[in-house]
């Protein structure tokens, strides 16, 4: 019985999915240490600590239980306690599964790619001049910037820097600020606020077909975003950015920017009305971050997260600063630091201070060596009335 | 200009970044190594910096003066965009006695160029510098390298050049970018701009798009600037500052 109680206690510690799995593994380890076979112990531990999803957990729990069952010759009640505990844990983990069952009501068009790459020069050269011109003119981005008065300097800096390059930039705030204008959503909860902002953007899109959601400590290069989606049809659902996996759920991180096509946003706004699939106040038992909630809701509509990459497969959306990424590259690629770091056509960097954003504005839009010409196939003009680009 | 203790922490990164854009580059030190460094008969330390510079320029004049028309002296924590320096130099005559850099006002009546921001001597200017020391007209009268060299330039009638771009923005910088580019309310000059010969601007008009140098740039920052200058760019962007078009327009109206 002791085994059951301990496991139940441990499973109740819901700090993070992985933490409790590892604690469970730790528990099994303690129990299994009583046995003599080292290889079985390490097998069970390894299996539990590396579980990525509830399905794998089931497999590893049964493996561990089976290993224990085989090994132990005495202490029957001890054994029973552990097996029951293992099953109990398993049941809890299935209940606690964050993602909806993968094969839910998606329509037949199940595009399970995981990455979206920018068009290559060849691809672009195959388009006629008039078609390129058409695409260039139609491609507009609506920037949804989620701000709060408590980070006013970031807000002001975003306003003065990269957001000037959006075709339309709207600032959505949690509460009114006397200093700066924004759409006041009057909402403290992150997820509820994001929903309201997206709904507002959808209703005020006009002829804009691409939406970019960001926070003010992210720096985005909208021209490179346009280049990424240039040949993608916004009437198809696209949900792009830095795609990461948490258990079963693949989602786009908010802090490196989220790109939504018109179709994706349309489906999202529709599913907002479904309190079962996409509740406004979030799932009460476990507080998911707003970017994960977004992924869950989109998944119900058949829209999946995809990683935005350049033609070499390098991620374009970065959740760190340039300095940070260069530092890492110095350790990993000391002989090829810059090329080993980041894409030439990166779309976002994040975690920047307001001063760093002003520096980036210069570094991106002005600093260059005289005489280098890139012969790009599109032209984007500088925004009117701006002096720092 | 470097020294043994900086090779790993600083000079290595210069070599891997902007050093590659020079036609020739020499690393001046007190010790000969396989880096490779040139051994000058001086000790390390700030008090010896002017001696080191004098010896370096004499060495270059003796062994390398025919290899180039222009000679750039920079520190191991300077970042330079060689193409942008070439752009400025392309309009100038290396057989004239010319001296370029971030011009400072104090001490020398014609001004002098900041050491850390890097300065450039024309072939003729280098010749005159060396001659000055040979004839005793220039001496090691101070350990403050940039100021003392500026004095020698003035004595030998070498002209300082205004290196600002067509919009009056600076190209050589004695500090990193963030000392200049951050928007400020109108205020009296901060300490680091006090020496500037030409009235400095703070904010976006501080600096030319075609930057030549920054100072106090260490390791990580060398690569960051390299990334911003030569790699990261906005696709298809039509840059605002088009000096060639401005020159064309000027020529047409005259």
């Amino acid at each position: 019985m002791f085994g059951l109680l301990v496991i139940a206690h441990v499973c109740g510690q819901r700090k993070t999915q992985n933490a409790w799995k590892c604690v469970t593994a730790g528990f099994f380890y303690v129990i299994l240490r009583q046995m003599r076979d080292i290889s079985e112990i390490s097998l069970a531990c390894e299996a539990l600590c590396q579980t990525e999803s509830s399905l794998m957990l089931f497999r590893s729990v049964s493996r561990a239980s089976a290993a224990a069952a085989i090994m132990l010759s005495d202490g029957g009640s001890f054994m029973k306690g552990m097996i029951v505990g293992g099953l109990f844990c398993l049941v809890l983990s299935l209940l606690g599964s964050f993602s909806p069952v993968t094969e839910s009501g998606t329509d037949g068009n199940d595009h399970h790619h995981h990455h979206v790459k920018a068009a290559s020069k060849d691809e672009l050269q195959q388009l006629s001049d008039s078609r390129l011109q058409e695409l260039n003119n139609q491609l507009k981005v609506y920037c949804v910037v989620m701000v709060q008065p408590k980070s006013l300097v970031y807000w002001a800096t975003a306003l003065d820097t990269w957001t000037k390059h959006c075709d339309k930039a709207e600032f959505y705030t949690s509460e009114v600020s006397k200093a700066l204008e924004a759409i006041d959503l009057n909402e403290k909860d992150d997820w509820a606020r994001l929903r309201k902002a997206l709904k507002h953007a959808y209703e005020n899109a006009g002829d804009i077909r691409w939406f970019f959601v960001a926070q003010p400590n992210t720096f985005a290069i909208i021209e490179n975003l346009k280049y990424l989606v240039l040949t993608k049809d916004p009437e198809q659902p696209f949900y792009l950015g830095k795609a990461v996996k948490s258990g079963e759920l693949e989602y786009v991180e908010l802090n490196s920017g989220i790109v939504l096509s018109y179709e994706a946003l349309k489906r999202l706004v529709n599913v907002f009305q479904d309190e079962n699939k996409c509740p406004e106040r979030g799932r009460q038992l476990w507080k998911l971050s707003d970017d994960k909630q977004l992924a869950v809701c989109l998944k119900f509509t058949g829209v999946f997260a995809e990683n935005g990459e350049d033609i070499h497969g390098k991620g374009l959306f970065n959740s760190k600063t340039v300095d940070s990424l260069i530092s890492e590259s110095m350790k990993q690629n000391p002989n090829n630091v810059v090329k080993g770091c980041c894409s030439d056509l990166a779309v976002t960097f994040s975690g920047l201070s307001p001063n760093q954003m002003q520096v980036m504005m210069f570094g991106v839009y002005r600093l260059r060596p005289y005489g280098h010409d890139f012969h790009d196939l599109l032209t984007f003009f500088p925004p009117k009335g701006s002096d720092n680009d | 200009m470097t020294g043994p203790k900086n090779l790993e922490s600083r000079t290595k990164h210069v070599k891997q970044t902007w050093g590659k854009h020079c036609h020739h580059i020499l690393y001046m030190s007190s010790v000969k190594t396989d880096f490779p460094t040139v051994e000058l008969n001086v000790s390390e330390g700030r008090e010896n910096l002017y001696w080191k510079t004098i010896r370096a320029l004499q060495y270059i004049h003796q062994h390398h003066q025919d290899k180039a028309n222009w000679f750039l002296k920079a520190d191991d924590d300077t970042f330079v965009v060689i193409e942008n320096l070439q752009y400025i130099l392309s309009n100038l005559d290396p057989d004239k006695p010319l001296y370029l850099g971030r011009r400072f006002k104090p001490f020398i009546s014609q001004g002098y160029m900041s050491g850390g921001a890097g300065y450039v001597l024309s072939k003729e200017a280098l010749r005159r510098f060396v001659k000055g020391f040979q004839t005793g007209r220039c001496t090691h009268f101070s350990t403050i390298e940039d100021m003392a060299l500026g004095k020698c330039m003035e004595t030998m009638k070498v002209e300082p050049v205004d290196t600002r771009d067509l919009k009056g923005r600076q190209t050589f910088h004695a500090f990193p970018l963030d000392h200049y580019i951050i928007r400020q309310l109108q205020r009296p000059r901060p300490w680091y701009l006090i020496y500037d010969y030409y009235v400095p601007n703070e904010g976006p008009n501080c600096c030319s798009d075609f930057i030549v140098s920054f100072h106090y740039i260490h390791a990580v920052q060398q690569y960051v600037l390299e990334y911003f200058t030569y790699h990261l760019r906005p696709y298809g962007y039509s840059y605002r500052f088009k000096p060639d078009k401005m020159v064309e327009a000027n020529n047409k109206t005259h």
Side-chain angles (χ1 to χ4, degrees), chain A residues 2 25 44 111 126 146 154 163 185 187 217 315 327 339 355:
Chain A
F2 174 72
H111 64 231
Q126 278 169 27
M146 307 300 292
Y154 287 91
T163 59
L185 300 172
E187 179 63 69
N217 68 345
S327 276
K339 286 207 174 119
N355 280 3

Side-chain angles (χ1 to χ4, degrees), chain A residues 102-115:
Chain A
T102 41
E103 263 62 58
S104 66
T106 59
D107 55 27
N109 208 8
D110 210 26
H111 64 231
H112 259 109
H113 328 288
H114 293 290
H115 57 202

Side-chain angles (χ1 to χ4, degrees), chain A residues 323 343 366 370 376 383 389, chain B residues 84 209 221 227 233 236 240:
Chain A
D323 291 35
S343 177
R366 294 178 54 198
Y370 179 80
D376 291 335
D389 51 17
Chain B
N84 292 344
D209 290 18
Q221 288 304 313
Y227 178 61
R233 65 191 184 83
R240 274 189 211 276

Side-chain angles (χ1 to χ4, degrees), chain A residues 117-294:
Chain A
K117 287 188 171 169
S120 67
K121 200 158 187 174
D122 292 330
E123 264 179 76
L124 286 185
Q125 279 169 338
Q126 278 169 27
L127 298 171
S128 70
D129 281 347
S130 58
R131 176 73 186 131
L132 263 180
Q133 190 59 31
E134 215 187 309
L135 287 174
N136 201 153
N137 295 337
Q138 283 169 2
L139 191 42
K140 293 183 185 160
V141 177
Y142 186 128
C143 295
V144 174
V145 190
M146 307 300 292
V147 296
Q148 292 180 56
K150 69 177 185 199
S151 49
L152 196 67
V153 187
Y154 287 91
W155 176 347
T157 307
L159 191 56
D160 182 42
T161 58
W162 63 269
T163 59
K164 291 192 275 195
H165 291 248
C166 305
D167 295 278
K168 185 174 178 146
E170 284 289 6
F171 289 76
Y172 294 90
T173 180
S174 53
E175 50 185 316
V176 168
S177 159
K178 290 187 201 123
L180 293 170
E181 266 180 43
I183 307 226
D184 177 23
L185 300 172
N186 194 21
E187 179 63 69
K188 292 275 154 65
D189 179 66
D190 288 344
W191 169 235
R193 200 160 72 238
L194 183 58
R195 287 170 59 113
K196 286 186 179 170
L198 289 171
K199 184 156 183 286
H200 183 276
Y202 176 68
E203 287 162 0
N204 292 279
D207 60 351
I208 301 181
R209 290 290 170 268
W210 290 96
F211 301 84
F212 176 65
V213 190
Q215 292 167 321
N217 68 345
T218 300
F219 189 97
I221 305 172
I222 299 297
E223 289 78 4
N224 292 346
L225 172 52
K226 288 186 176 181
Y227 181 60
L228 174 63
V229 300
L230 180 67
T231 52
K232 318 292 183 263
D233 182 5
E235 305 295 330
Q236 289 295 314
F238 283 99
Y239 164 43
L240 315 171
K242 180 171 190 220
V244 295
K245 228 176 155 128
S246 169
E248 277 286 331
L249 183 69
E250 190 153 10
Y251 68 100
V252 171
E253 280 192 347
L254 175 58
N255 69 2
S256 34
I258 302 176
V259 181
L260 292 167
S261 66
Y262 187 77
E263 176 62 23
L265 185 57
K266 182 180 188 182
R267 293 190 192 186
L268 187 61
V269 169
N270 282 335
V271 83
F272 280 163
Q273 291 162 2
D274 188 333
E275 268 295 305
N276 290 320
K277 292 181 180 162
C278 196
E280 187 172 356
R281 292 294 144 185
R283 294 161 194 280
Q284 297 306 330
L285 281 181
W286 36 91
K287 194 82 177 71
L288 277 185
S289 61
D290 42 359
D291 44 12
K292 285 182 185 158
Q293 301 246 31
L294 188 70

Side-chain angles (χ1 to χ4, degrees), chain A residues 362 365-368, chain B residues 84 165 169 207-211 241:
Chain A
F362 182 84
Y365 289 106
R366 294 178 54 198
L367 175 57
R368 61 198 188 278
Chain B
N84 292 344
D165 72 10
R169 301 180 300 204
C207 317
S208 178
D209 290 18
F210 299 123
I211 287 284
F241 182 54

Side-chain angles (χ1 to χ4, degrees), chain B residues 57-111:
Chain B
L57 292 174
Q58 286 169 335
Y59 174 89
I60 288 177
H61 183 260
Q62 189 174 10
H63 301 280
H64 298 278
Q65 70 163 305
D66 293 321
K67 291 224 177 66
N69 299 326
W70 297 95
F71 301 87
L72 164 72
K73 185 235 75 149
D75 291 348
D76 53 23
D77 58 352
T78 308
F79 176 81
V80 183
V81 184
I82 298 291
E83 289 87 342
N84 292 344
L85 176 56
Q86 284 177 302
Y87 177 52
I88 294 176
L89 297 175
S90 63
N91 292 324
L92 301 170
D93 181 358
D95 293 321
K96 287 214 174 99
L98 300 170
Y99 163 51
L100 295 81
R102 177 75 175 221
R103 199 167 173 184
F104 280 174
K105 212 174 31 186
F107 316 125
I108 315 293
S109 52
Q110 75 168 12

